[in-house]
Amino acid sequence: MNIVFVCRFSGYTTSDTDAVADAYDPHKYFPSREAACCGSITKGRCDINSGLTYVHNLLQGVAEKLCTMNDVDAAVARTMKVRMEMGLFDPTDDQPLTKIGLESVASKETQALNLETAEQSLVLLRNSDNVLPLTAGKKLAIIGPLASDPTPMMGTHYKGYACPNNDLKCVPSILDSIGIINNATSRGSIVYEEGCDVDKGNDRKIKDAVEAAQDADAVVLVLGITGEQEHEGMDRTSIDLPAVQHNLSAAILALKKPTVIVLINGGMVALDSEASFQGSLAIVEALLPGAVGGTAIANGLFGKHSFGGRLPYTIYRSTFVDETPMSEMELTAKPGRTYRFYNGVVSYPFAHGLSLVPCKLSLSSGTSPQGSLDTAGSKTIDVSIDVSAPSSAEINASQVITAFWKPSASLMNEIPLKSQLFDFQRVSVAPGNTLKVVFSLSASDFEVSEVGTGNIVVLPGFYNISFTDGDSTDISYGLTLTGDKQVIENFPNKN
């Protein structure tokens, strides 16, 4: 079945980077490059190959009668149609993107937006004993294999043009960025030790790191993985933080110093021992924060912003890979996958995240804790949530309020999922203020894929809705959908 055909898609399709070549070698799906080209255009309706395989082999495939020029012309027509709809053949005076000049590159406005984006992406996983914010002017030990090198923060692609000379010399590391803030006063000092390499190390390096940390007021551990552990074309067989980094963190945490772990990683890394540590520990999931990531991280550590990001995935225990075969693609197969179906124990759930300025959530005055909608109607219900920041805060509270629904027990056979995110809103609340956040609920928020048919449906019944701040505050709302089952979209079929 050609999914492009059954979904009546009218645009053009393109391959991943030279995936047409991959279909021949190494996957051996086609017996030759010529066959891969023609099969991709006809069976796969792949109009554009991101690579040179079409250039070098497609016409030979036509000559071998594996496809026809009509097939090639149809692919060209689809790509030209979209380009014309975008106005790419119109006079340049009519195209606003052609008016963007070099003065827009690295302007003050774009740099500020870059920093704001990086700061909003950071996720504060825990902050036991209020380790954060750090106080500038202290003696800090900065430890870890990713503290002094800004390269891993940039990811594995598209980082060659970050600086004027096409290098990364203008990108501040986490170590540099912490030093700028902490050493702004004469009392501040920093000592740095690598502690280990990303995936190997020795006792001497860990011992040096422990000695540095012993004399510090607080420790910042910068851990994670890089493109050497995972990248396009190279998967990991383990989701765990490299063992040598667990050893390093265990040695540092044994000192009972106020400690912050900052994680730099693209794919998820398991933190079994760190997440369960009993003591003064903060953990910041920085993901791949980009060129100003070091500055964004340092600003958060010293309380210049309150964090407020939410986890884009579940942080599973390291044993998750032993529970689910890699070949199992069914999300509902036990123990399940993703926050919607997984029934095991996790270290940190999807959408989790703390703020340095915790807010109080409550239903706004006059908002009922329950309501009803018709499955076939277009009516909406507004649910108002008051988000209040403490007057003692010194900075604005950054919060992402998430909205999840859960099917009631009577619906579990028809909707076998644990919960479903259907909306979220980011807010910034000034100290001492209350902001009203309004969520508009409609029947379309409860569309699901029906078990057995695959149809998109809305089912009548009772739904439990929760509005949460990413931590412990949870506002409950009950919604009853009345009426009959509504089929919104039938599962596509060729007929």
Side-chain angles (χ1 to χ4, degrees):
M1 180 185 294
N2 188 322
I3 198 65
V4 174
F5 173 80
V6 297
C7 290
R8 297 173 176 83
F9 178 66
S10 62
Y12 72 77
T13 57
T14 180
S15 73
D16 193 9
T17 303
D18 220 352
V20 174
D22 292 341
Y24 163 65
D25 185 18
H27 300 311
K28 307 301 181 185
Y29 187 82
F30 291 102
S32 66
R33 287 183 174 83
E34 294 76 16
C37 289
C38 285
S40 296
I41 276 188
T42 56
K43 296 179 180 179
R45 221 199 79 167
C46 180
D47 303 316
I48 293 178
N49 172 52
S50 176
L52 296 176
T53 302
Y54 279 179
V55 173
H56 294 152
N57 303 281
L58 180 55
L59 291 181
Q60 182 58 35
V62 172
E64 295 176 11
K65 301 187 183 309
L66 300 174
C67 57
T68 69
M69 282 305 298
N70 286 338
D71 297 321
V72 177
D73 290 343
V76 172
R78 286 190 289 267
T79 67
M80 292 300 177
K81 172 179 174 289
V82 173
R83 288 184 172 97
M84 289 180 179
E85 290 173 345
M86 294 175 64
L88 297 183
F89 298 108
D90 295 345
T92 55
D93 289 345
D94 297 334
Q95 300 184 43
L97 294 181
T98 64
K99 298 178 176 62
I100 299 176
L102 287 177
E103 69 278 359
S104 299
V105 178
S107 66
K108 290 183 179 180
E109 292 77 14
T110 56
Q111 290 186 46
L113 179 61
N114 196 359
L115 180 59
E116 180 185 7
T117 302
E119 290 178 345
Q120 289 190 3
S121 73
L122 303 177
V123 183
L124 181 59
L125 298 180
R126 66 176 279 180
N127 191 26
S128 303
D129 300 330
N130 293 321
V131 170
L132 295 178
L134 300 174
T135 301
K138 298 292 186 178
K139 184 174 182 180
L140 301 179
I142 314 300
I143 292 168
L146 302 180
S148 63
D149 183 5
T151 307
M153 293 191 295
M154 302 288 287
T156 57
H157 290 304
Y158 314 119
K159 56 176 176 278
Y161 301 98
C163 302
N165 295 322
N166 294 342
D167 55 30
L168 295 180
K169 292 181 179 179
C170 69
V171 178
S173 68
I174 297 173
L175 175 63
D176 294 335
S177 301
I178 292 175
I180 289 172
I181 298 177
N182 188 65
N183 297 350
T185 68
S186 59
R187 300 185 306 275
S189 65
I190 281 180
V191 60
Y192 165 69
E193 289 290 342
E194 185 180 37
C196 64
D197 294 333
V198 173
D199 54 7
K200 59 181 181 293
N202 56 59
D203 294 339
R204 178 71 256 177
K205 282 189 174 183
I206 293 180
K207 183 178 179 181
D208 290 343
V210 170
E211 290 177 354
Q214 283 176 329
D215 295 328
D217 297 315
V219 182
V220 178
L221 263 174
V222 186
L223 308 175
I225 56 177
T226 72
E228 294 297 317
Q229 287 71 50
E230 64 169 7
H231 58 251
E232 183 177 1
M234 189 183 86
D235 296 328
R236 289 178 291 157
T237 58
S238 168
I239 60 172
D240 204 3
L241 188 71
V244 67
Q245 294 188 51
H246 279 305
N247 295 340
L248 174 62
S249 69
I252 298 300
L253 293 175
L255 299 175
K256 306 296 184 183
K257 295 275 186 178
T259 301
V260 183
I261 293 177
V262 177
L263 293 169
I264 303 297
N265 53 287
M268 188 224 92
V269 290
L271 303 165
D272 299 2
S273 56
E274 290 78 11
S276 61
F277 174 75
Q278 302 295 313
S280 300
L281 175 64
I283 303 178
V284 176
E285 173 58 271
L287 305 168
L288 300 176
V292 294
T295 302
I297 291 167
N299 285 348
L301 298 187
F302 288 99
K304 294 181 179 294
H305 66 80
S306 66
F307 292 96
R310 299 292 180 258
L311 270 180
Y313 47 58
T314 299
I315 296 185
Y316 297 99
R317 304 290 297 271
S318 60
T319 53
F320 174 77
V321 296
D322 301 319
E323 300 172 351
T324 304
M326 191 174 181
S327 58
E328 177 57 75
M329 295 293 105
E330 178 56 62
L331 296 182
T332 59
K334 292 183 179 180
R337 289 190 182 186
T338 79
Y339 77 95
R340 301 171 74 227
F341 303 107
Y342 185 64
N343 289 305
V345 177
V346 304
S347 294
Y348 296 102
F350 168 74
H352 171 78
L354 312 180
S355 172
L356 292 181
V357 183
C359 290
K360 177 183 177 182
L361 269 60
S362 60
L363 282 176
S364 301
S365 176
T367 299
S368 172
Q370 57 188 2
S372 65
L373 290 169
D374 191 283
T375 56
S378 58
K379 177 186 173 184
T380 63
I381 294 179
D382 287 345
V383 180
S384 296
I385 308 292
D386 286 340
V387 184
S388 302
S391 58
S392 59
E394 297 181 357
I395 57 175
N396 287 358
S398 177
Q399 291 281 355
V400 175
I401 312 302
T402 53
F404 290 85
W405 61 256
K406 301 177 182 179
S408 59
S410 62
L411 287 170
M412 284 303 295
N413 288 335
E414 297 176 279
I415 310 177
L417 55 78
K418 296 179 64 178
S419 66
Q420 174 66 56
L421 176 72
F422 69 93
D423 202 356
F424 67 90
Q425 294 189 43
R426 177 180 286 276
V427 297
S428 179
V429 189
N433 285 11
T434 296
L435 186 67
K436 180 177 292 188
V437 181
V438 179
F439 289 88
S440 293
L441 311 184
S442 68
S444 62
D445 292 324
F446 301 86
E447 294 178 1
V448 293
S449 176
E450 186 177 31
V451 175
T453 68
N455 296 337
I456 302 301
V457 299
V458 175
L459 297 174
F462 183 78
Y463 295 80
N464 298 289
I465 299 174
S466 61
F467 302 94
T468 177
D469 63 355
D471 184 22
S472 56
T473 303
D474 191 49
I475 302 300
S476 297
Y477 184 88
L479 184 74
T480 300
L481 291 181
T482 61
D484 299 324
K485 177 180 76 173
Q486 299 298 313
V487 178
I488 307 303
E489 182 179 350
N490 288 306
F491 188 79
N493 61 76
K494 199 166 185 178
N495 298 322

